[in-house]
């Protein structure tokens, strides 16, 4: 079993010298090799031009697909490079052959933009949205989910790790339900990819989306989509271009057979180089090791926070992630964020406008979100709690 060399990992993350970065769920810090990979490609573009630079980077750009295939345990042909997780998810969702009366099964903690897409298409196509309630532990209720399935249920779409809370939804158990009923399963893995192992075979999803900048520590403006080859023939992209399709003769075209039908011809090539480096970096450390350290730190942070007077940890779920949410008596989340920012501590705030169902049910309007990664330390947790302080 490998152990992580935290000193070396922090040396690869120069901001650690000054900043306590507890906003890894918002945007983590690129490690130096990732940052270098992006800069080197930009330098190449400046020197020989963008097209020639892309040609020269061809082996790296091809390896992007192999790196993700290893990360997710899928085939390289099942991966698309997309500019962010939202658009990756959209490309999957808007491609599905859903028609009037078809039902979507989702969860209370579903990501805001996904839910907006459900509402958008429900209005346009007459779809029905069924929301699975949460169980006593706060995660989605598997028994309720199975009971809510009808002959019209065409899609199960859930968020693995919600943005606004520390829980991890039981993605594999959902996969078993989806498989039993022959329903397409779309998993938003934006907050789980890079902080825990993900295996699409084990999970049993046909579609999975994620972003580069969060726990994967890639550059901004990068994301990816996994599409199982078992269903790709049934997915009609909402729009295509000369990369996604071939203009075979004057009146005909053919859509690419692989997941790259969801890519754009023009894209942020340096970002793809950087994201590939970020996946390589995570794989070299080991996703099991990363998960173990992230959950150890997050548990430590929750325990320390709950000792502070007036501070309430708001996380639910039997299994928890690196995302820690809390409120504090007498101080608004935005004020806490600003005060910590002035002390070189980065956190973010989650609001009800991004979590109408989840926060609505729990009576929350805003929470502070402190999200840790493996390069954070117990010392930082101590200093964080000191800076936060208890209620007077
Ligand atoms: C951040 C986030 C997204 C959106 O990712 P982008 O790359 O910003 O589009 C989607 N789902 C979840 C759960 C997220 O936390």
């Amino acid at each position: 079993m490998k152990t992580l060399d935290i000193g070396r990992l922090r040396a690869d993350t120069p901001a650690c010298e000054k900043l306590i970065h507890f906003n890894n769920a918002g945007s983590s810090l690129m490690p130096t090799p990732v940052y270098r990979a992006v800069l080197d490609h930009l330098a190449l573009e400046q020197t020989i031009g963008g097209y020639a630079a892309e040609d020269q980077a061809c082996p790296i750009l091809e390896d992007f697909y192999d790196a993700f295939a290893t990360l997710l345990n899928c085939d390289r042909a099942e991966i698309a490079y997309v500019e962010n997780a939202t658009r990756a998810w959209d490309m999957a969702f808007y491609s599905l052959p859903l028609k009037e009366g078809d039902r979507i099964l989702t969860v209370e903690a579903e990501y805001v933009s996904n839910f907006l897409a459900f509402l958008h298409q429900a209005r346009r196509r007459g779809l029905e949205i069924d929301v699975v309630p949460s169980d006593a532990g706060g995660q989605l209720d598997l028994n309720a989910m199975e009971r809510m399935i009808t002959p019209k249920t065409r899609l199960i779409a859930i968020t693995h790790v919600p943005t606004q809370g520390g829980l991890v939804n039981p993605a594999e158990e959902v996969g078993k339900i989806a498989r039993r009923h022959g329903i397409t399963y779309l998993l938003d893995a934006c907050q789980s990819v890079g902080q825990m192992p993900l295996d699409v075979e084990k999970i049993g999803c046909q579609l999975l989306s994620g972003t580069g900048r969060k726990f994967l520590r890639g550059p901004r403006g990068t994301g990816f989509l996994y599409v199982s080859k078992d269903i790709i023939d049934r997915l009609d992209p909402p729009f295509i271009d000369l990369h996604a399709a071939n203009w075979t003769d004057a009146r005909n075209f053919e859509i690419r057979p692989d997941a790259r039908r969801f890519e754009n011809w023009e894209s942020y090539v340096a970002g793809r180089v950087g994201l590939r480096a970020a996946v390589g970096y995570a794989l070299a450390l080991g996703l099991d090791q990363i998960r173990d350290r992230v959950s150890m730190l997050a548990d430590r942070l929750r325990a320390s926070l709950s000792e502070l007077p007036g501070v309430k940890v708001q996380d639910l779920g039997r299994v928890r992630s690196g995302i820690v949410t809390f409120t504090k008596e007498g101080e608004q989340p935005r004020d806490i964020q600003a005060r910590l920012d002035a002390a070189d501590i980065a956190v973010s705030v989650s609001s009800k406008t991004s979590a109408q169902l989840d926060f609505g049910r729990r009576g929350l309007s805003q929470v502070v979100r402190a999200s840790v990664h493996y390069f954070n330390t117990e010392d930082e947790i101590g200093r964080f709690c000191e800076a936060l302080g208890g209620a007077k």
Side-chain angles (χ1 to χ4, degrees):
M1 172 110 174
K2 292 180 281 187
T3 50
L4 301 177
D5 179 350
I6 305 305
R8 184 180 73 79
L9 298 174
R10 285 175 74 77
D12 273 352
T13 313
C16 287
E17 275 181 31
K18 184 159 179 277
L19 179 71
I20 296 182
H21 192 70
F22 283 3
N23 192 14
N24 296 291
S27 182
S28 190
L29 301 164
M30 277 185 277
T32 301
V34 173
Y35 171 72
R36 277 267 137 235
V38 177
L39 283 194
D40 287 351
H41 190 79
L42 290 177
L44 197 59
E45 288 188 350
Q46 195 190 31
T47 312
I48 63 174
Y51 283 17
E54 184 172 355
D55 284 344
Q56 196 165 312
C58 183
I60 292 174
L61 294 169
E62 283 302 313
D63 187 63
F64 172 92
Y65 301 100
D66 298 305
F68 269 100
T70 305
L71 183 73
L72 302 175
N73 186 29
C74 64
D75 194 282
R76 70 196 308 278
E78 296 176 310
I79 296 295
Y81 173 56
V82 188
E83 60 266 40
N84 57 58
T86 305
R87 200 37 50 91
W89 187 97
D90 283 340
M91 286 306 259
F93 174 66
Y94 283 80
S95 297
L96 291 164
L98 299 174
K99 52 188 190 315
E100 189 173 349
D102 286 348
R103 309 188 80 90
I104 299 164
L105 199 49
T106 187
V107 290
E108 285 178 329
E110 186 63 359
Y111 184 65
V112 44
S113 297
N114 305 350
F115 211 91
L116 288 170
F118 296 149
L119 293 171
H120 182 224
Q121 290 305 294
R123 188 179 287 173
R124 181 181 288 179
R125 293 197 245 179
L127 308 178
E128 303 291 334
I129 308 164
D130 295 316
V131 180
V132 179
S134 306
D135 67 15
Q139 57 188 9
L140 73 93
D141 185 331
L142 289 163
N143 292 325
M145 171 174 264
E146 187 136 30
R147 278 197 306 275
M148 288 171 77
I149 291 174
T150 75
K152 284 281 192 190
T153 305
R154 296 278 178 265
L155 174 69
I156 294 177
I158 68 158
T159 294
H160 194 191
V161 171
T163 292
Q164 70 276 5
L167 71 90
V168 182
N169 270 317
E172 288 182 23
E173 284 71 20
V174 171
K176 289 188 191 117
I177 294 175
R179 205 171 277 159
R180 235 182 346 262
H181 295 269
I183 299 169
T184 303
Y185 176 17
L186 163 55
L187 185 67
D188 178 337
C190 202
Q191 293 292 5
S192 50
V193 69
Q195 72 153 314
M196 58 186 71
L198 292 179
D199 179 331
V200 292
E201 286 286 321
K202 274 197 200 148
I203 294 171
C205 58
Q206 289 79 43
L207 299 157
L208 180 147
S209 55
T211 204
R213 75 181 183 282
K214 296 180 180 174
F215 288 93
L216 273 177
R217 308 184 66 196
R220 295 203 61 176
T222 65
F224 67 91
L225 177 67
Y226 154 78
V227 184
S228 162
K229 46 184 170 324
D230 297 343
I231 65 158
I232 194 146
D233 290 342
R234 285 187 274 136
L235 302 183
D236 191 14
F239 26 80
I240 54 173
D241 68 4
L242 73 172
H243 173 76
N246 259 330
W247 198 8
T248 47
D249 66 45
R251 297 283 171 178
N252 285 296
F253 67 94
E254 264 170 22
I255 297 184
R256 281 184 75 115
D258 59 18
R260 278 170 250 182
R261 66 174 59 183
F262 298 112
E263 292 184 343
N264 297 315
W265 188 90
E266 174 59 357
S267 71
Y268 175 29
V269 179
R272 189 162 129 203
V273 170
L275 183 52
R276 176 256 188 190
V279 172
Y281 196 86
L283 288 172
L285 298 182
L287 273 300
D288 286 303
Q289 282 75 12
I290 293 174
R291 187 229 4 244
D292 290 350
R293 180 162 172 89
V294 169
S295 38
M296 182 277 287
L297 289 171
D299 285 346
R300 190 66 60 99
L301 177 56
R302 287 187 193 99
S304 304
L305 285 171
S306 50
E307 281 170 16
L308 295 175
V311 174
K312 182 159 189 247
V313 175
Q314 297 288 356
D315 296 328
L316 303 175
R318 270 192 285 281
V319 181
R320 295 191 177 172
S321 74
I323 298 177
V324 178
T325 56
F326 65 91
T327 48
K328 185 178 170 216
E329 252 170 53
E331 194 175 7
Q332 291 301 315
R334 287 275 174 221
D335 297 335
I336 295 174
Q337 181 190 26
R339 191 164 63 75
L340 294 175
D341 181 60
D344 290 323
I345 299 173
V347 295
S348 62
V349 171
S350 294
S351 302
K352 191 178 169 198
T353 46
S354 297
Q356 290 288 358
L357 294 170
D358 186 22
F359 280 17
R361 176 178 69 90
R362 293 156 64 195
L364 294 170
S365 56
Q366 283 194 328
V367 299
V368 182
R369 182 181 70 177
S371 43
V372 293
H373 215 332
Y374 55 76
F375 58 79
N376 292 125
T377 62
E378 286 156 281
D379 175 63
E380 287 180 324
I381 291 172
R383 286 192 281 142
F384 176 84
C385 290
E386 217 165 280
L388 176 66
K392 301 280 163 356

